[in-house]
């Protein structure tokens, strides 16, 4: 029956994906979608495969269809953003992440991706605010460490060298083996004239 075929294609799509056979996975997810066109899981999975195959425009289309079908995982918005960024459509990439944060405002992965995009686009104050939010909501884990180092880099870029030093020292306090923090701390000291 159709339901068995849809289930089989969906399962085979997952198997091929985990075997890193993207063409096989794409075929089976397309077959599952042909049988059940509004299943957000299949639409989402096909979007991921197309993203990995660097077919960004079609990936965005399937992610949007997954959202329209009721998918609510912020990861979809991160993938949409990644696709837009690859297409050099940075405003759309930022908008996608902001939409994802409306669903789950404290999603750390979305916040980190958004902060990085702000930084890459030269919007240092928004990047700063977003990294500070990550620091507030993470309990001193590797995400906090990453955010502190990035915040230090932003402070250095903004010529707020004393603040940069403080952020790098906080990262080092969390992980005394963080070579990136030590390296950037040296740069901040140099820039501060110390």
């Amino acid at each position: 029956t159709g339901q068995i075929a849809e289930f089989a294609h969906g399962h085979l799509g997952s198997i091929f994906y985990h075997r890193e056979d993207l063409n096989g996975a794409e075929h089976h997810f397309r077959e599952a979608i042909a049988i059940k066109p509004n299943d957000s899981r299949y639409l989402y999975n096909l979007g991921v495969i197309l993203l990995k195959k660097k077919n960004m425009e079609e990936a965005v289309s399937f992610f949007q269809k997954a959202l329209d079908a009721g998918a609510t995982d912020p990861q979809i918005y991160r993938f949409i953003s990644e696709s837009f960024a690859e297409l050099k459509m940075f405003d759309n990439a930022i908008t996608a992440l902001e939409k994802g944060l409306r669903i789950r405002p404290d999603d750390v992965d979305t916040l980190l991706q958004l902060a990085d995009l702000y930084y890459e686009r030269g919007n240092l104050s928004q990047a700063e605010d977003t990294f500070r939010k990550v620091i507030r909501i993470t309990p001193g884990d590797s995400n906090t460490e990453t955010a502190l180092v990035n915040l230090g880099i932003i402070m250095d870029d903004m010529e707020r060298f004393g603040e940069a030093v403080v952020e790098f020292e906080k990262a080092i306090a969390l992980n005394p083996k963080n070579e990136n923090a030590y390296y950037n701390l040296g740069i901040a000291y140099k820039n501060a004239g110390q």
Side-chain angles (χ1 to χ4, degrees):
T1 68
Q3 186 176 15
I4 293 171
E6 168 247 318
F7 177 76
H9 282 296
H11 191 64
L12 285 168
S14 294
I15 290 170
F16 277 89
Y17 176 78
H18 289 292
R19 290 185 176 171
E20 298 182 16
D21 179 348
L22 297 180
N23 291 330
E26 179 181 354
H27 166 76
H28 286 290
F29 284 124
R30 285 189 189 276
E31 291 294 320
I33 290 167
I35 297 166
K36 194 172 181 185
N38 289 319
D39 190 303
S40 63
R41 295 168 302 161
Y42 301 144
L43 295 163
Y44 168 80
N45 287 333
L46 183 54
V48 170
I49 290 161
L50 293 168
L51 180 66
K52 287 184 177 280
K53 290 177 78 173
K54 302 293 185 197
N55 187 343
M56 302 305 166
E57 291 177 13
E58 194 176 9
V60 168
S61 169
F62 277 96
F63 289 137
Q64 187 58 55
K65 289 176 184 177
L67 291 171
D68 293 344
T72 58
D73 186 345
Q75 185 173 10
I76 294 175
Y77 290 98
R78 291 194 301 275
F79 284 140
I80 290 172
S81 176
E82 185 178 331
S83 299
F84 278 132
E86 287 285 330
L87 295 168
K88 307 286 187 238
M89 299 172 70
F90 298 107
D91 290 341
N92 292 11
I94 289 170
T95 299
L97 294 172
E98 290 169 343
K99 285 181 181 178
L101 288 172
R102 284 187 216 119
I103 293 171
R104 198 174 301 151
D106 290 342
D107 185 76
V108 174
D109 292 327
T110 304
L111 287 165
L112 287 170
Q113 189 172 338
L114 181 61
D116 286 340
L117 253 179
Y118 283 146
Y119 179 77
E120 290 169 19
R121 301 301 301 149
N123 192 333
L124 300 182
S125 62
Q126 283 191 288
E128 175 188 357
D129 292 345
T130 307
F131 280 124
R132 288 192 187 284
K133 182 172 183 177
V134 170
I135 293 164
R136 277 194 310 274
I137 63 175
T138 56
D141 61 11
S142 63
N143 291 316
T144 307
E145 185 182 335
T146 298
L148 286 166
V149 171
N150 287 325
L151 185 57
I153 291 168
I154 290 167
M155 297 295 97
D156 193 67
D157 287 351
M158 296 172 87
E159 300 182 2
R160 292 162 51 190
F161 305 120
E163 292 175 68
V165 167
V166 169
E167 301 306 331
F168 293 131
E169 288 175 344
K170 288 179 187 175
I172 291 166
L174 279 177
N175 178 4
K177 295 181 181 182
N178 187 323
E179 294 174 12
N180 193 21
Y182 280 109
Y183 173 78
N184 283 291
L185 177 61
I187 291 172
Y189 277 136
K190 180 182 175 210
N191 290 338
Q194 296 181 10

